[in-house]
Amino acid sequence: MTGKFPNGQMYDPCAYTPLGGVLGGVDCNLVNPLYWFSGDPINIIGWLDTLGTDQRTVINSGPFNLEIGKPITIIYAYIIGRGTDRLNSITKAREIAAFTHQFYQSNFDDNLVSVEEEKTNIPTEFILYQNYPNPFNPSTTIKFSIPNVTLSLSSRAESRDEGARVQLKVYDILGNEVTTLVDEYRNAGNYEIDFNASKLSSGVYFYRLQAGGFVQTNKMILMK
């Protein structure tokens, strides 16, 4: 948890390579050594575990401030994603983690739909969600929803799986465009986009969704 070996020496992600290494041209000085293998294995960038073998991991947390005679509540969420392959399993785990975070923030509201239930529901309005995690380092997920378009045909309303032309762009605090994450037609549905900011400096950034007549901008924080 302190980013050190038992002898007190700090981890060097580029030098410590028994289980993997830093890939994708990422500067080792930008890698947080407190969280092992914090890279993005889907995009093959950052500090990654690349050794395909049986591995055992120790999980810990804390520290906690305890007082004699006073109770404290500690909540853990242990998440496992099992997908169609090793990379899809990571996507599944991320989806479950996002839902778990939402469940916790809702004060454990049982009315929340699961990840699988949510996928089967076509949204009824444009929504740009807050990215998760936020603050982040170096990757975060941006989720948005594109609704059906209701058309009036022969004096009756007909709901079709119509989508919209979608643009999702990231800007720095000065308003300069950093990158375009989406620029294409998308059908009605719920979408998640991974944004990797390993080559950017720490600071405040904005992501803007424009779809049809809908425009919304949210703020996110990159903290390295």
Side-chain angles (χ1 to χ4, degrees), residues 56-136:
R56 311 300 169 94
T57 303
V58 176
I59 300 175
N60 58 14
S61 63
F64 304 103
N65 295 321
L66 305 178
E67 297 184 39
I68 297 177
K70 292 186 178 181
I72 182 173
T73 300
I74 301 173
I75 301 173
Y76 289 92
Y78 190 85
I79 296 168
I80 298 176
R82 185 175 183 180
T84 56
D85 55 41
R86 57 190 179 87
L87 292 182
N88 182 252
S89 295
I90 295 171
T91 299
K92 289 289 185 181
R94 287 175 173 175
E95 291 177 349
I96 298 171
F99 175 79
T100 304
H101 181 72
Q102 181 185 11
F103 184 60
Y104 171 75
Q105 289 193 319
S106 71
N107 196 25
F108 307 101
D109 183 359
D110 289 332
N111 292 320
L112 290 176
V113 297
S114 69
V115 173
E116 293 303 322
E117 290 172 333
E118 183 180 15
K119 283 186 174 181
T120 64
N121 296 329
I122 299 298
T124 58
E125 60 180 334
F126 289 100
I127 303 175
L128 177 62
Y129 296 88
Q130 185 63 48
N131 63 298
Y132 177 80
N134 187 46
F136 66 100

Side-chain angles (χ1 to χ4, degrees), residues 146-160:
I146 306 298
N148 273 336
V149 175
T150 301
L151 303 176
S152 178
L153 299 176
S154 303
S155 71
R156 65 184 177 87
E158 179 176 328
S159 179
R160 292 183 173 179

Side-chain angles (χ1 to χ4, degrees), residues 38 40 43 94 129-143 170 181 192-198 205 207 219-222:
S38 56
D40 183 349
N43 295 312
R94 287 175 173 175
Y129 296 88
Q130 185 63 48
N131 63 298
Y132 177 80
N134 187 46
F136 66 100
N137 176 33
S139 298
T140 188
T141 299
I142 299 173
K143 179 180 175 181
V170 178
L181 299 176
E192 291 185 354
I193 305 298
D194 291 327
F195 172 53
N196 188 291
S198 58
Y205 293 86
Y207 56 100
K219 180 175 72 173
M220 58 183 172
I221 300 174
L222 172 61

Side-chain angles (χ1 to χ4, degrees), residues 5-72:
F5 286 102
N7 62 6
Q9 181 181 356
M10 288 294 298
Y11 289 122
D12 182 347
C14 279
Y16 184 72
T17 57
L19 302 178
V22 179
L23 305 177
V26 177
D27 186 347
C28 290
N29 294 322
L30 300 179
V31 177
N32 184 354
L34 302 185
Y35 181 54
W36 273 37
F37 307 123
S38 56
D40 183 349
I42 296 178
N43 295 312
I44 314 179
I45 188 170
W47 190 8
L48 302 178
D49 183 343
T50 59
L51 182 62
T53 185
D54 178 27
Q55 298 183 27
R56 311 300 169 94
T57 303
V58 176
I59 300 175
N60 58 14
S61 63
F64 304 103
N65 295 321
L66 305 178
E67 297 184 39
I68 297 177
K70 292 186 178 181
I72 182 173

